[in-house]
mmCIF file with all atom_site columns, all heavy atoms in Angstrom:
data_model
loop_
_atom_site.group_PDB
_atom_site.id
_atom_site.type_symbol
_atom_site.label_atom_id
_atom_site.label_alt_id
_atom_site.label_comp_id
_atom_site.label_asym_id
_atom_site.label_entity_id
_atom_site.label_seq_id
_atom_site.pdbx_PDB_ins_code
_atom_site.Cartn_x
_atom_site.Cartn_y
_atom_site.Cartn_z
_atom_site.occupancy
_atom_site.B_iso_or_equiv
_atom_site.pdbx_formal_charge
_atom_site.auth_seq_id
_atom_site.auth_comp_id
_atom_site.auth_asym_id
_atom_site.auth_atom_id
_atom_site.pdbx_PDB_model_num
ATOM 1   N N   . ALA U 1 1  ? 119.278 67.750 110.570 1.00 98.00 ? 1  ALA U N   1
ATOM 2   C CA  . ALA U 1 1  ? 118.641 66.700 109.804 1.00 98.00 ? 1  ALA U CA  1
ATOM 3   C C   . ALA U 1 1  ? 117.125 66.803 109.939 1.00 98.00 ? 1  ALA U C   1
ATOM 4   O O   . ALA U 1 1  ? 116.599 66.879 111.057 1.00 98.00 ? 1  ALA U O   1
ATOM 5   C CB  . ALA U 1 1  ? 119.119 65.335 110.281 1.00 98.00 ? 1  ALA U CB  1
ATOM 6   N N   . ALA U 1 2  ? 116.450 66.801 108.802 1.00 97.00 ? 2  ALA U N   1
ATOM 7   C CA  . ALA U 1 2  ? 114.997 66.912 108.793 1.00 97.00 ? 2  ALA U CA  1
ATOM 8   C C   . ALA U 1 2  ? 114.355 65.563 108.507 1.00 97.00 ? 2  ALA U C   1
ATOM 9   O O   . ALA U 1 2  ? 114.906 64.747 107.764 1.00 97.00 ? 2  ALA U O   1
ATOM 10  C CB  . ALA U 1 2  ? 114.554 67.920 107.741 1.00 97.00 ? 2  ALA U CB  1
ATOM 11  N N   . SER U 1 3  ? 113.192 65.364 109.082 1.00 96.00 ? 3  SER U N   1
ATOM 12  C CA  . SER U 1 3  ? 112.412 64.163 108.804 1.00 96.00 ? 3  SER U CA  1
ATOM 13  C C   . SER U 1 3  ? 110.937 64.530 108.819 1.00 96.00 ? 3  SER U C   1
ATOM 14  O O   . SER U 1 3  ? 110.554 65.585 109.317 1.00 96.00 ? 3  SER U O   1
ATOM 15  C CB  . SER U 1 3  ? 112.703 63.073 109.838 1.00 96.00 ? 3  SER U CB  1
ATOM 16  O OG  . SER U 1 3  ? 112.327 63.510 111.139 1.00 96.00 ? 3  SER U OG  1
ATOM 17  N N   . GLY U 1 4  ? 110.135 63.651 108.243 1.00 95.00 ? 4  GLY U N   1
ATOM 18  C CA  . GLY U 1 4  ? 108.696 63.865 108.248 1.00 95.00 ? 4  GLY U CA  1
ATOM 19  C C   . GLY U 1 4  ? 108.178 64.633 107.057 1.00 95.00 ? 4  GLY U C   1
ATOM 20  O O   . GLY U 1 4  ? 106.987 64.591 106.757 1.00 95.00 ? 4  GLY U O   1
ATOM 21  N N   . SER U 1 5  ? 109.062 65.346 106.369 1.00 93.00 ? 5  SER U N   1
ATOM 22  C CA  . SER U 1 5  ? 108.644 66.139 105.223 1.00 93.00 ? 5  SER U CA  1
ATOM 23  C C   . SER U 1 5  ? 109.894 66.545 104.452 1.00 93.00 ? 5  SER U C   1
ATOM 24  O O   . SER U 1 5  ? 110.942 66.765 105.060 1.00 93.00 ? 5  SER U O   1
ATOM 25  C CB  . SER U 1 5  ? 107.908 67.394 105.695 1.00 93.00 ? 5  SER U CB  1
ATOM 26  O OG  . SER U 1 5  ? 107.478 68.170 104.599 1.00 93.00 ? 5  SER U OG  1
ATOM 27  N N   . PRO U 1 6  ? 109.804 66.652 103.137 1.00 93.00 ? 6  PRO U N   1
ATOM 28  C CA  . PRO U 1 6  ? 110.976 67.105 102.373 1.00 93.00 ? 6  PRO U CA  1
ATOM 29  C C   . PRO U 1 6  ? 111.343 68.520 102.751 1.00 93.00 ? 6  PRO U C   1
ATOM 30  O O   . PRO U 1 6  ? 110.473 69.378 102.925 1.00 93.00 ? 6  PRO U O   1
ATOM 31  C CB  . PRO U 1 6  ? 110.500 67.023 100.918 1.00 93.00 ? 6  PRO U CB  1
ATOM 32  C CG  . PRO U 1 6  ? 109.339 66.094 100.942 1.00 93.00 ? 6  PRO U CG  1
ATOM 33  C CD  . PRO U 1 6  ? 108.684 66.285 102.263 1.00 93.00 ? 6  PRO U CD  1
ATOM 34  N N   . LEU U 1 7  ? 112.629 68.753 102.867 1.00 93.00 ? 7  LEU U N   1
ATOM 35  C CA  . LEU U 1 7  ? 113.112 70.072 103.282 1.00 93.00 ? 7  LEU U CA  1
ATOM 36  C C   . LEU U 1 7  ? 113.160 71.060 102.115 1.00 93.00 ? 7  LEU U C   1
ATOM 37  O O   . LEU U 1 7  ? 113.304 72.262 102.329 1.00 93.00 ? 7  LEU U O   1
ATOM 38  C CB  . LEU U 1 7  ? 114.506 69.903 103.887 1.00 93.00 ? 7  LEU U CB  1
ATOM 39  C CG  . LEU U 1 7  ? 115.059 70.998 104.790 1.00 93.00 ? 7  LEU U CG  1
ATOM 40  C CD1 . LEU U 1 7  ? 114.138 71.268 105.959 1.00 93.00 ? 7  LEU U CD1 1
ATOM 41  C CD2 . LEU U 1 7  ? 116.444 70.621 105.261 1.00 93.00 ? 7  LEU U CD2 1
ATOM 42  N N   . ASN U 1 8  ? 112.999 70.554 100.895 1.00 91.00 ? 8  ASN U N   1
ATOM 43  C CA  . ASN U 1 8  ? 113.288 71.397 99.734  1.00 91.00 ? 8  ASN U CA  1
ATOM 44  C C   . ASN U 1 8  ? 112.268 72.505 99.486  1.00 91.00 ? 8  ASN U C   1
ATOM 45  O O   . ASN U 1 8  ? 112.485 73.343 98.607  1.00 91.00 ? 8  ASN U O   1
ATOM 46  C CB  . ASN U 1 8  ? 113.458 70.543 98.479  1.00 91.00 ? 8  ASN U CB  1
ATOM 47  C CG  . ASN U 1 8  ? 112.247 69.684 98.182  1.00 91.00 ? 8  ASN U CG  1
ATOM 48  O OD1 . ASN U 1 8  ? 111.188 69.851 98.791  1.00 91.00 ? 8  ASN U OD1 1
ATOM 49  N ND2 . ASN U 1 8  ? 112.394 68.742 97.270  1.00 91.00 ? 8  ASN U ND2 1
ATOM 50  N N   . SER U 1 9  ? 111.182 72.539 100.240 1.00 91.00 ? 9  SER U N   1
ATOM 51  C CA  . SER U 1 9  ? 110.248 73.661 100.097 1.00 91.00 ? 9  SER U CA  1
ATOM 52  C C   . SER U 1 9  ? 110.323 74.636 101.267 1.00 91.00 ? 9  SER U C   1
ATOM 53  O O   . SER U 1 9  ? 109.473 75.526 101.391 1.00 91.00 ? 9  SER U O   1
ATOM 54  C CB  . SER U 1 9  ? 108.814 73.136 99.964  1.00 91.00 ? 9  SER U CB  1
ATOM 55  O OG  . SER U 1 9  ? 108.434 72.428 101.130 1.00 91.00 ? 9  SER U OG  1
ATOM 56  N N   . TYR U 1 10 ? 111.346 74.489 102.087 1.00 95.00 ? 10 TYR U N   1
ATOM 57  C CA  . TYR U 1 10 ? 111.497 75.327 103.269 1.00 95.00 ? 10 TYR U CA  1
ATOM 58  C C   . TYR U 1 10 ? 112.731 76.213 103.185 1.00 95.00 ? 10 TYR U C   1
ATOM 59  O O   . TYR U 1 10 ? 113.779 75.814 102.665 1.00 95.00 ? 10 TYR U O   1
ATOM 60  C CB  . TYR U 1 10 ? 111.640 74.460 104.527 1.00 95.00 ? 10 TYR U CB  1
ATOM 61  C CG  . TYR U 1 10 ? 110.390 73.725 104.930 1.00 95.00 ? 10 TYR U CG  1
ATOM 62  C CD1 . TYR U 1 10 ? 110.068 72.498 104.366 1.00 95.00 ? 10 TYR U CD1 1
ATOM 63  C CD2 . TYR U 1 10 ? 109.534 74.252 105.882 1.00 95.00 ? 10 TYR U CD2 1
ATOM 64  C CE1 . TYR U 1 10 ? 108.920 71.818 104.740 1.00 95.00 ? 10 TYR U CE1 1
ATOM 65  C CE2 . TYR U 1 10 ? 108.390 73.578 106.283 1.00 95.00 ? 10 TYR U CE2 1
ATOM 66  C CZ  . TYR U 1 10 ? 108.092 72.363 105.702 1.00 95.00 ? 10 TYR U CZ  1
ATOM 67  O OH  . TYR U 1 10 ? 106.958 71.692 106.081 1.00 95.00 ? 10 TYR U OH  1
ATOM 68  N N   . THR U 1 11 ? 112.603 77.390 103.741 1.00 97.00 ? 11 THR U N   1
ATOM 69  C CA  . THR U 1 11 ? 113.763 78.202 104.072 1.00 97.00 ? 11 THR U CA  1
ATOM 70  C C   . THR U 1 11 ? 114.263 77.713 105.431 1.00 97.00 ? 11 THR U C   1
ATOM 71  O O   . THR U 1 11 ? 113.468 77.415 106.326 1.00 97.00 ? 11 THR U O   1
ATOM 72  C CB  . THR U 1 11 ? 113.374 79.681 104.155 1.00 97.00 ? 11 THR U CB  1
ATOM 73  O OG1 . THR U 1 11 ? 112.937 80.116 102.862 1.00 97.00 ? 11 THR U OG1 1
ATOM 74  C CG2 . THR U 1 11 ? 114.558 80.518 104.588 1.00 97.00 ? 11 THR U CG2 1
ATOM 75  N N   . VAL U 1 12 ? 115.581 77.634 105.583 1.00 97.00 ? 12 VAL U N   1
ATOM 76  C CA  . VAL U 1 12 ? 116.160 77.095 106.809 1.00 97.00 ? 12 VAL U CA  1
ATOM 77  C C   . VAL U 1 12 ? 117.159 78.096 107.390 1.00 97.00 ? 12 VAL U C   1
ATOM 78  O O   . VAL U 1 12 ? 117.893 78.750 106.645 1.00 97.00 ? 12 VAL U O   1
ATOM 79  C CB  . VAL U 1 12 ? 116.857 75.749 106.550 1.00 97.00 ? 12 VAL U CB  1
ATOM 80  C CG1 . VAL U 1 12 ? 117.392 75.161 107.859 1.00 97.00 ? 12 VAL U CG1 1
ATOM 81  C CG2 . VAL U 1 12 ? 115.883 74.762 105.899 1.00 97.00 ? 12 VAL U CG2 1
ATOM 82  N N   . ALA U 1 13 ? 117.169 78.186 108.683 1.00 98.00 ? 13 ALA U N   1
ATOM 83  C CA  . ALA U 1 13 ? 118.061 79.130 109.360 1.00 98.00 ? 13 ALA U CA  1
ATOM 84  C C   . ALA U 1 13 ? 118.690 78.500 110.588 1.00 98.00 ? 13 ALA U C   1
ATOM 85  O O   . ALA U 1 13 ? 118.189 77.517 111.128 1.00 98.00 ? 13 ALA U O   1
ATOM 86  C CB  . ALA U 1 13 ? 117.285 80.378 109.764 1.00 98.00 ? 13 ALA U CB  1
ATOM 87  N N   . TRP U 1 14 ? 119.784 79.110 110.993 1.00 98.00 ? 14 TRP U N   1
ATOM 88  C CA  . TRP U 1 14 ? 120.417 78.773 112.267 1.00 98.00 ? 14 TRP U CA  1
ATOM 89  C C   . TRP U 1 14 ? 120.290 79.982 113.189 1.00 98.00 ? 14 TRP U C   1
ATOM 90  O O   . TRP U 1 14 ? 120.582 81.116 112.780 1.00 98.00 ? 14 TRP U O   1
ATOM 91  C CB  . TRP U 1 14 ? 121.884 78.423 112.080 1.00 98.00 ? 14 TRP U CB  1
ATOM 92  C CG  . TRP U 1 14 ? 122.121 77.086 111.462 1.00 98.00 ? 14 TRP U CG  1
ATOM 93  C CD1 . TRP U 1 14 ? 122.313 76.816 110.144 1.00 98.00 ? 14 TRP U CD1 1
ATOM 94  C CD2 . TRP U 1 14 ? 122.197 75.828 112.147 1.00 98.00 ? 14 TRP U CD2 1
ATOM 95  N NE1 . TRP U 1 14 ? 122.504 75.467 109.960 1.00 98.00 ? 14 TRP U NE1 1
ATOM 96  C CE2 . TRP U 1 14 ? 122.438 74.837 111.177 1.00 98.00 ? 14 TRP U CE2 1
ATOM 97  C CE3 . TRP U 1 14 ? 122.103 75.452 113.491 1.00 98.00 ? 14 TRP U CE3 1
ATOM 98  C CZ2 . TRP U 1 14 ? 122.576 73.482 111.504 1.00 98.00 ? 14 TRP U CZ2 1
ATOM 99  C CZ3 . TRP U 1 14 ? 122.235 74.117 113.812 1.00 98.00 ? 14 TRP U CZ3 1
ATOM 100 C CH2 . TRP U 1 14 ? 122.464 73.142 112.828 1.00 98.00 ? 14 TRP U CH2 1
ATOM 101 N N   . PHE U 1 15 ? 119.886 79.698 114.407 1.00 98.00 ? 15 PHE U N   1
ATOM 102 C CA  . PHE U 1 15 ? 119.838 80.688 115.464 1.00 98.00 ? 15 PHE U CA  1
ATOM 103 C C   . PHE U 1 15 ? 120.717 80.197 116.611 1.00 98.00 ? 15 PHE U C   1
ATOM 104 O O   . PHE U 1 15 ? 121.031 79.005 116.698 1.00 98.00 ? 15 PHE U O   1
ATOM 105 C CB  . PHE U 1 15 ? 118.400 80.861 115.984 1.00 98.00 ? 15 PHE U CB  1
ATOM 106 C CG  . PHE U 1 15 ? 117.481 81.550 115.011 1.00 98.00 ? 15 PHE U CG  1
ATOM 107 C CD1 . PHE U 1 15 ? 116.944 80.877 113.927 1.00 98.00 ? 15 PHE U CD1 1
ATOM 108 C CD2 . PHE U 1 15 ? 117.138 82.879 115.194 1.00 98.00 ? 15 PHE U CD2 1
ATOM 109 C CE1 . PHE U 1 15 ? 116.097 81.513 113.025 1.00 98.00 ? 15 PHE U CE1 1
ATOM 110 C CE2 . PHE U 1 15 ? 116.287 83.524 114.303 1.00 98.00 ? 15 PHE U CE2 1
ATOM 111 C CZ  . PHE U 1 15 ? 115.768 82.833 113.219 1.00 98.00 ? 15 PHE U CZ  1
ATOM 112 N N   . ARG U 1 16 ? 121.051 81.116 117.490 1.00 98.00 ? 16 ARG U N   1
ATOM 113 C CA  . ARG U 1 16 ? 121.798 80.699 118.675 1.00 98.00 ? 16 ARG U CA  1
ATOM 114 C C   . ARG U 1 16 ? 121.385 81.563 119.872 1.00 98.00 ? 16 ARG U C   1
ATOM 115 O O   . ARG U 1 16 ? 120.912 82.688 119.702 1.00 98.00 ? 16 ARG U O   1
ATOM 116 C CB  . ARG U 1 16 ? 123.305 80.803 118.457 1.00 98.00 ? 16 ARG U CB  1
ATOM 117 C CG  . ARG U 1 16 ? 123.837 82.226 118.308 1.00 98.00 ? 16 ARG U CG  1
ATOM 118 C CD  . ARG U 1 16 ? 125.323 82.204 118.003 1.00 98.00 ? 16 ARG U CD  1
ATOM 119 N NE  . ARG U 1 16 ? 125.868 83.552 117.899 1.00 98.00 ? 16 ARG U NE  1
ATOM 120 C CZ  . ARG U 1 16 ? 127.119 83.808 117.530 1.00 98.00 ? 16 ARG U CZ  1
ATOM 121 N NH1 . ARG U 1 16 ? 127.954 82.809 117.222 1.00 98.00 ? 16 ARG U NH1 1
ATOM 122 N NH2 . ARG U 1 16 ? 127.543 85.069 117.470 1.00 98.00 ? 16 ARG U NH2 1
ATOM 123 N N   . GLN U 1 17 ? 121.570 80.987 121.031 1.00 98.00 ? 17 GLN U N   1
ATOM 124 C CA  . GLN U 1 17 ? 121.280 81.715 122.257 1.00 98.00 ? 17 GLN U CA  1
ATOM 125 C C   . GLN U 1 17 ? 122.396 81.459 123.243 1.00 98.00 ? 17 GLN U C   1
ATOM 126 O O   . GLN U 1 17 ? 122.558 80.339 123.742 1.00 98.00 ? 17 GLN U O   1
ATOM 127 C CB  . GLN U 1 17 ? 119.934 81.299 122.842 1.00 98.00 ? 17 GLN U CB  1
ATOM 128 C CG  . GLN U 1 17 ? 119.507 82.151 124.018 1.00 98.00 ? 17 GLN U CG  1
ATOM 129 C CD  . GLN U 1 17 ? 118.041 82.001 124.335 1.00 98.00 ? 17 GLN U CD  1
ATOM 130 O OE1 . GLN U 1 17 ? 117.350 81.103 123.841 1.00 98.00 ? 17 GLN U OE1 1
ATOM 131 N NE2 . GLN U 1 17 ? 117.513 82.902 125.148 1.00 98.00 ? 17 GLN U NE2 1
ATOM 132 N N   . GLY U 1 18 ? 123.178 82.497 123.497 1.00 97.00 ? 18 GLY U N   1
ATOM 133 C CA  . GLY U 1 18 ? 124.278 82.403 124.432 1.00 97.00 ? 18 GLY U CA  1
ATOM 134 C C   . GLY U 1 18 ? 123.825 82.635 125.856 1.00 97.00 ? 18 GLY U C   1
ATOM 135 O O   . GLY U 1 18 ? 122.697 83.074 126.101 1.00 97.00 ? 18 GLY U O   1
ATOM 136 N N   . PRO U 1 19 ? 124.675 82.383 126.830 1.00 93.00 ? 19 PRO U N   1
ATOM 137 C CA  . PRO U 1 19 ? 124.330 82.563 128.246 1.00 93.00 ? 19 PRO U CA  1
ATOM 138 C C   . PRO U 1 19 ? 123.885 83.993 128.525 1.00 93.00 ? 19 PRO U C   1
ATOM 139 O O   . PRO U 1 19 ? 124.624 84.950 128.238 1.00 93.00 ? 19 PRO U O   1
ATOM 140 C CB  . PRO U 1 19 ? 125.634 82.229 128.967 1.00 93.00 ? 19 PRO U CB  1
ATOM 141 C CG  . PRO U 1 19 ? 126.434 81.431 128.010 1.00 93.00 ? 19 PRO U CG  1
ATOM 142 C CD  . PRO U 1 19 ? 126.052 81.914 126.650 1.00 93.00 ? 19 PRO U CD  1
ATOM 143 N N   . GLY U 1 20 ? 122.695 84.141 129.054 1.00 94.00 ? 20 GLY U N   1
ATOM 144 C CA  . GLY U 1 20 ? 122.199 85.465 129.407 1.00 94.00 ? 20 GLY U CA  1
ATOM 145 C C   . GLY U 1 20 ? 121.846 86.346 128.237 1.00 94.00 ? 20 GLY U C   1
ATOM 146 O O   . GLY U 1 20 ? 121.650 87.554 128.399 1.00 94.00 ? 20 GLY U O   1
ATOM 147 N N   . LYS U 1 21 ? 121.748 85.768 127.048 1.00 95.00 ? 21 LYS U N   1
ATOM 148 C CA  . LYS U 1 21 ? 121.456 86.564 125.847 1.00 95.00 ? 21 LYS U CA  1
ATOM 149 C C   . LYS U 1 21 ? 120.156 86.105 125.209 1.00 95.00 ? 21 LYS U C   1
ATOM 150 O O   . LYS U 1 21 ? 119.663 85.014 125.474 1.00 95.00 ? 21 LYS U O   1
ATOM 151 C CB  . LYS U 1 21 ? 122.594 86.422 124.841 1.00 95.00 ? 21 LYS U CB  1
ATOM 152 C CG  . LYS U 1 21 ? 123.942 86.902 125.337 1.00 95.00 ? 21 LYS U CG  1
ATOM 153 C CD  . LYS U 1 21 ? 124.998 86.734 124.257 1.00 95.00 ? 21 LYS U CD  1
ATOM 154 C CE  . LYS U 1 21 ? 126.366 87.164 124.734 1.00 95.00 ? 21 LYS U CE  1
ATOM 155 N NZ  . LYS U 1 21 ? 127.407 86.968 123.695 1.00 95.00 ? 21 LYS U NZ  1
ATOM 156 N N   . GLY U 1 22 ? 119.631 86.948 124.348 1.00 96.00 ? 22 GLY U N   1
ATOM 157 C CA  . GLY U 1 22 ? 118.459 86.573 123.577 1.00 96.00 ? 22 GLY U CA  1
ATOM 158 C C   . GLY U 1 22 ? 118.842 85.713 122.395 1.00 96.00 ? 22 GLY U C   1
ATOM 159 O O   . GLY U 1 22 ? 120.013 85.503 122.089 1.00 96.00 ? 22 GLY U O   1
ATOM 160 N N   . ARG U 1 23 ? 117.831 85.162 121.738 1.00 97.00 ? 23 ARG U N   1
ATOM 161 C CA  . ARG U 1 23 ? 118.093 84.309 120.574 1.00 97.00 ? 23 ARG U CA  1
ATOM 162 C C   . ARG U 1 23 ? 118.461 85.182 119.379 1.00 97.00 ? 23 ARG U C   1
ATOM 163 O O   . ARG U 1 23 ? 117.769 86.150 119.065 1.00 97.00 ? 23 ARG U O   1
ATOM 164 C CB  . ARG U 1 23 ? 116.870 83.460 120.275 1.00 97.00 ? 23 ARG U CB  1
ATOM 165 C CG  . ARG U 1 23 ? 117.115 82.376 119.254 1.00 97.00 ? 23 ARG U CG  1
ATOM 166 C CD  . ARG U 1 23 ? 115.926 81.446 119.135 1.00 97.00 ? 23 ARG U CD  1
ATOM 167 N NE  . ARG U 1 23 ? 115.712 80.678 120.361 1.00 97.00 ? 23 ARG U NE  1
ATOM 168 C CZ  . ARG U 1 23 ? 114.798 79.720 120.467 1.00 97.00 ? 23 ARG U CZ  1
ATOM 169 N NH1 . ARG U 1 23 ? 114.029 79.421 119.442 1.00 97.00 ? 23 ARG U NH1 1
ATOM 170 N NH2 . ARG U 1 23 ? 114.660 79.073 121.598 1.00 97.00 ? 23 ARG U NH2 1
ATOM 171 N N   . GLU U 1 24 ? 119.534 84.806 118.712 1.00 97.00 ? 24 GLU U N   1
ATOM 172 C CA  . GLU U 1 24 ? 120.091 85.580 117.602 1.00 97.00 ? 24 GLU U CA  1
ATOM 173 C C   . GLU U 1 24 ? 120.059 84.759 116.331 1.00 97.00 ? 24 GLU U C   1
ATOM 174 O O   . GLU U 1 24 ? 120.544 83.627 116.303 1.00 97.00 ? 24 GLU U O   1
ATOM 175 C CB  . GLU U 1 24 ? 121.542 85.961 117.939 1.00 97.00 ? 24 GLU U CB  1
ATOM 176 C CG  . GLU U 1 24 ? 122.308 86.624 116.808 1.00 97.00 ? 24 GLU U CG  1
ATOM 177 C CD  . GLU U 1 24 ? 123.804 86.731 117.089 1.00 97.00 ? 24 GLU U CD  1
ATOM 178 O OE1 . GLU U 1 24 ? 124.310 86.002 117.966 1.00 97.00 ? 24 GLU U OE1 1
ATOM 179 O OE2 . GLU U 1 24 ? 124.455 87.549 116.418 1.00 97.00 ? 24 GLU U OE2 1
ATOM 180 N N   . GLY U 1 25 ? 119.525 85.318 115.281 1.00 98.00 ? 25 GLY U N   1
ATOM 181 C CA  . GLY U 1 25 ? 119.584 84.680 113.976 1.00 98.00 ? 25 GLY U CA  1
ATOM 182 C C   . GLY U 1 25 ? 120.948 84.896 113.373 1.00 98.00 ? 25 GLY U C   1
ATOM 183 O O   . GLY U 1 25 ? 121.402 86.038 113.276 1.00 98.00 ? 25 GLY U O   1
ATOM 184 N N   . ILE U 1 26 ? 121.637 83.836 112.970 1.00 98.00 ? 26 ILE U N   1
ATOM 185 C CA  . ILE U 1 26 ? 123.003 83.996 112.486 1.00 98.00 ? 26 ILE U CA  1
ATOM 186 C C   . ILE U 1 26 ? 123.174 83.650 111.019 1.00 98.00 ? 26 ILE U C   1
ATOM 187 O O   . ILE U 1 26 ? 124.085 84.175 110.365 1.00 98.00 ? 26 ILE U O   1
ATOM 188 C CB  . ILE U 1 26 ? 124.006 83.192 113.338 1.00 98.00 ? 26 ILE U CB  1
ATOM 189 C CG1 . ILE U 1 26 ? 123.629 81.710 113.380 1.00 98.00 ? 26 ILE U CG1 1
ATOM 190 C CG2 . ILE U 1 26 ? 124.107 83.772 114.736 1.00 98.00 ? 26 ILE U CG2 1
ATOM 191 C CD1 . ILE U 1 26 ? 124.688 80.839 114.030 1.00 98.00 ? 26 ILE U CD1 1
ATOM 192 N N   . SER U 1 27 ? 122.340 82.791 110.490 1.00 98.00 ? 27 SER U N   1
ATOM 193 C CA  . SER U 1 27 ? 122.478 82.468 109.083 1.00 98.00 ? 27 SER U CA  1
ATOM 194 C C   . SER U 1 27 ? 121.214 81.799 108.569 1.00 98.00 ? 27 SER U C   1
ATOM 195 O O   . SER U 1 27 ? 120.519 81.121 109.321 1.00 98.00 ? 27 SER U O   1
ATOM 196 C CB  . SER U 1 27 ? 123.669 81.541 108.846 1.00 98.00 ? 27 SER U CB  1
ATOM 197 O OG  . SER U 1 27 ? 123.877 81.346 107.465 1.00 98.00 ? 27 SER U OG  1
ATOM 198 N N   . CYS U 1 28 ? 120.927 82.022 107.294 1.00 98.00 ? 28 CYS U N   1
ATOM 199 C CA  . CYS U 1 28 ? 119.783 81.352 106.676 1.00 98.00 ? 28 CYS U CA  1
ATOM 200 C C   . CYS U 1 28 ? 120.110 81.044 105.226 1.00 98.00 ? 28 CYS U C   1
ATOM 201 O O   . CYS U 1 28 ? 121.009 81.651 104.632 1.00 98.00 ? 28 CYS U O   1
ATOM 202 C CB  . CYS U 1 28 ? 118.509 82.182 106.783 1.00 98.00 ? 28 CYS U CB  1
ATOM 203 S SG  . CYS U 1 28 ? 118.573 83.786 105.984 1.00 98.00 ? 28 CYS U SG  1
ATOM 204 N N   . VAL U 1 29 ? 119.361 80.096 104.684 1.00 97.00 ? 29 VAL U N   1
ATOM 205 C CA  . VAL U 1 29 ? 119.548 79.707 103.295 1.00 97.00 ? 29 VAL U CA  1
ATOM 206 C C   . VAL U 1 29 ? 118.173 79.549 102.651 1.00 97.00 ? 29 VAL U C   1
ATOM 207 O O   . VAL U 1 29 ? 117.262 78.949 103.229 1.00 97.00 ? 29 VAL U O   1
ATOM 208 C CB  . VAL U 1 29 ? 120.397 78.422 103.186 1.00 97.00 ? 29 VAL U CB  1
ATOM 209 C CG1 . VAL U 1 29 ? 119.759 77.250 103.903 1.00 97.00 ? 29 VAL U CG1 1
ATOM 210 C CG2 . VAL U 1 29 ? 120.683 78.076 101.728 1.00 97.00 ? 29 VAL U CG2 1
#
């Protein structure tokens, strides 16, 4: 959920970081 600014001018992504791992980009829109 975004606040403070409309999200419609942004590209958005999900990243994840598992135990002992680096941050991984998994999906974007």
Side-chain angles (χ1 to χ4, degrees):
S3 62
S5 181
L7 199 57
N8 57 11
S9 62
Y10 290 85
T11 296
V12 183
W14 286 94
F15 289 78
R16 67 184 182 186
Q17 187 164 12
K21 299 181 182 178
R23 190 172 294 186
E24 173 191 19
I26 56 171
S27 186
C28 61
V29 60

